[in-house]
Amino acid sequence: VPVYHAEAPARWGRFTIAEQLAHVGSEAERTFRAQEAGNLPRRDLALDRALELFDLTAADPRWAGPRRREILRAREGFCGCFFADDVPASWVAELRRYFLAFAVRARAEAGAK
C-alpha cells in the first residue's frame, strides 16, 4: 500500500481536529471532482490519499470515544459514495458541507492564533 503523506504521522498530532478533517476534506473534494470528471485514475489516487488521512485522524489518541466514532462514520459514508450500491445523490453534497464546516473552523482557528 503506497504512503502518500509520509510526513503526516509526525505532523498530524499537532493539528486540531478541525485542521485534520479540513485536510481530509480537501482530498475528499479532489476525489469527488475526479469522479464527476470521469477521471478514474485521478479519483483512485485521491481516494487513497483521503482514506490515508481518515485513518491517521481515527488513529489519533486525542479523538477516542465519540469523536473517533464520528470520524469513522464519516469515513464509512465517504466510502459508500464510491463502493455502495444505490447511493443517494445527497451523500456527496452532505459530505461536502460536512467537510466545509471543518475548513471554515480551521481557518477561523488559524486567524485567532
Side-chain angles (χ1 to χ4, degrees):
V1 174
V3 175
Y4 297 98
H5 301 93
E7 77 292 343
R11 292 182 31 206
W12 209 244
R14 293 188 296 236
F15 292 149
T16 66
I17 186 109
E19 290 170 319
Q20 287 181 354
L21 288 172
H23 284 284
V24 174
S26 289
E27 293 296 350
E29 184 61 30
R30 288 182 186 98
T31 309
F32 294 140
R33 287 182 184 207
Q35 174 79 16
E36 291 163 356
N39 188 333
L40 300 185
R42 194 174 84 198
R43 181 212 54 198
D44 292 344
L45 288 172
L47 179 65
D48 287 347
R49 290 190 308 267
L51 294 176
E52 182 179 42
L53 293 181
F54 263 121
D55 293 343
L56 286 169
T57 303
D60 191 320
R62 297 175 294 167
W63 317 141
R67 284 185 172 167
R68 180 167 296 133
R69 283 191 295 277
E70 180 180 338
I71 292 161
L72 294 174
R73 277 194 298 271
R75 185 187 193 281
E76 181 180 10
F78 176 72
C79 288
C81 291
F82 304 99
F83 302 113
D85 295 329
D86 208 21
V87 176
S90 64
W91 279 17
V92 171
E94 289 172 18
L95 281 168
R96 281 179 157 148
R97 279 192 302 276
Y98 176 81
F99 287 120
L100 178 61
F102 288 107
V104 169
R105 177 151 181 194
R107 173 78 47 107
E109 288 173 355
K113 288 183 182 178

